[in-house]
Amino acid sequence: MTMGDHEPTGVQPGSLPEPGGASAWGEVAQLGLQIDGVQRQLDSLSRVLRELRARQGRFHAGAVGEQRVVGVLVDLVDTGWNVLPDRRWPGTRRANIDVLLAGPGGVFVVDVKTWRDVRVEHGRLWRGQADADDATDKLQAQAEAVRSVLVREGLAPAEVVPLLVLTGRRKTRAVVGEIQVLGEFDLGMDLLRRGVRLSAAQVEQTVAALERACPPAAGEQASARAARPRPVPRISGDLTPPGPGKAVRPDEGPDEPAAEDVPAAEGAALWDLEQVWSELVRAAAAEPIESWMTWLHPSQARLITRTWNGPARIRGPAGTGKTVVALHRARYLAQRGRRVLFASYVNSLGPVFRGLFTRMAPELTDRVDFASVHQVAARLLHRAGAGVDVAPAALDSCWARAWAATHRDGVLDAVGHSPRYWRDEITHVIKGRGIEDFEAYARLDRVGRHTRLQPVHREAVWRLFTEYERRRLEQGLIDWDDVLTRALQAVRAGTVQPGWDAVIVDEVQDLTCTGLRLLHALAGDGPDGLLLVGDGQQSVYPGGFTLAEAGISVAGRAVVLDRNYRNGAEILRHALTMLGEDTFDDLDPAPADPHRQVHTTRPGGMVAHVTAADPPSQEMALLQHLETLHDQHAARHGDTALLVATNRAVERWSQVLTRAGIPVVPLTHYDGHTVDAVKVGTFERGKGLDFAHVLIPDTDRTPDPRRRHESDDAYTERARLERRRLYVGITRARDTLWLGTTQPAREPPPVTAGPG
């Protein structure tokens, strides 16, 4: 289910033209729903409420009933529903339809009634002893007229549903022919439960057709003038679900009640907000995972349209909806004519985000560019006329020769780290932070690197760095750090024009400082120019820096999210236990507290631990779990991911699944479109993505056992990073998590002879 098909407009309550829409706006504002399309809908609602209040005599009660039902429907706008109240009946000159409703669940022609003595019997609707055939025939005719309009637009006839709503009723559901009968208090939930039948583009096309064929029916009521109805008490009492021969609710009194008997709209909560949100989450979870990954919780709608007067930041634990907010923010800016760059660190995320964005707003894909920071840098250099030719094999050779030439004294070996660690030191710390001389490196606070280095160690690292650079330059090579540096220099010198009005950075904690400086240079410090999104606890790459070091201030423009919308409670609990007391760096000078607050919104979540005797047994257990998910629980392959620590493990497990006849797609090839295949990739490739079901084998290898000659500091730092990677993998799981380990059978204890 794609949430947020309408984005906030920034309209303030006081901007509505008449008091008639104020109470409806109040309900909307309480939900934080400032969404595109609301202005048009509320203008229409405000007008119709004024007209309804002008009705006299026997129409008074019906007017109040319509007002309250329309108020219910307005609360649904952030789920993609469009409310068109008091519309002209197609093909007539004066007749009107109470409400037209178009959204993901279809199109509804709504007739609002304030009837009391109502029952369904033998397939017909009755009011007391008289049938209500006139009313049902009229509603059926209205639906046919609307259907004839929309069929010409390509909409299936079955998607137009006549709906009769009884005000003041609860637990009221019946069917009369094709007419659905619902109580006012059941209306919202029933619409939400319909799920997604129409895409956002179909809804937009449908609404446009209805606007043309069914304009506001204001002419007939415009001449009427009457006093505003006074507040009235709510009708209380239990309501019984309808059935053959069973009364909907047999109330005493006339069929058209006096105003004093009609429930009041003012101050009355029509449903429990948490219940609505839970239903939205449930409906979204029923859709393919790609729809889920674009679902925006209503409580986050205000973040989309918020205006910041400089660089801003959104952070929070895994599952709090940061990336979804970023995608909807990109759409909001693009809708307003901005050219947006949506950047991340991992190359494979760009195509995924582009695919997800296309589901949300296909008409805006040409206004938003999705790319990794290195791809952005390469494009900028190409525009500037500079070639970009990174030769990984030749660079590896330069590194190997530099290492061999400088580490013979054993200074770095004594620290207890592998050569890979020292290459990361050069890539992420020295070149990644733009360090140009030894004095700067000697006094550098190595954010994100927790192994203490003495002066002698830093001197050895600098010798290694200068030797690598000498060999690289001799061969005329550039590495990806050089690409970022040169692109930054070109932008600052004005030799290349960025071409973007706004830059959104996802997973900002994984960038190098130079990479972020480049993106900052593209966006500047202007209003709504740069938005940083990420979480240091999910950093899976070595090194780090602070925002101050990157020259960025977000003072007064930072938001922390603390509600987890993704993980079932048990999955989240298990994920948090993986981190223990590990602090983490989050672009701030001081390490962050691992016990920060996070609230789960999704109960349940299954966590299965399997300990196998050997690798073949683990493979069999994993395949059996997949079979159970697919066959017994109807889980889609495309909603499932198998995540591992290394590329070698990706190859191995891809072969295991393929041999078992299970379709597989590597995460390196996944582009955000729905595919009926299990996604397989590393924890790093899974960043920024969601899956309904996640399988992680070989969890006993995280952290990898302590290596020979590895010091305490070296092991502690490596283990901390590997635990964060596993945490990222675990928190990708929404509904179920399978964790496999391999524990060889222990040898039996030796047999000893007894006494004597």
Side-chain angles (χ1 to χ4, degrees), residues 168-190:
R169 267 50 173 190
R170 187 186 308 277
K171 297 182 180 179
T172 300
R173 294 179 180 84
V175 177
V176 179
E178 69 167 343
I179 296 174
Q180 296 188 14
V181 181
L182 286 177
E184 170 193 340
F185 299 100
D186 309 307
L187 177 57
M189 284 302 170
D190 273 59

Side-chain angles (χ1 to χ4, degrees), residues 654-674:
S654 295
Q655 293 171 1
V656 169
L657 298 186
T658 301
R659 287 197 301 267
I662 297 172
V664 170
V665 59
L667 282 179
T668 52
H669 297 166
Y670 173 55
D671 62 0
H673 292 86
T674 301

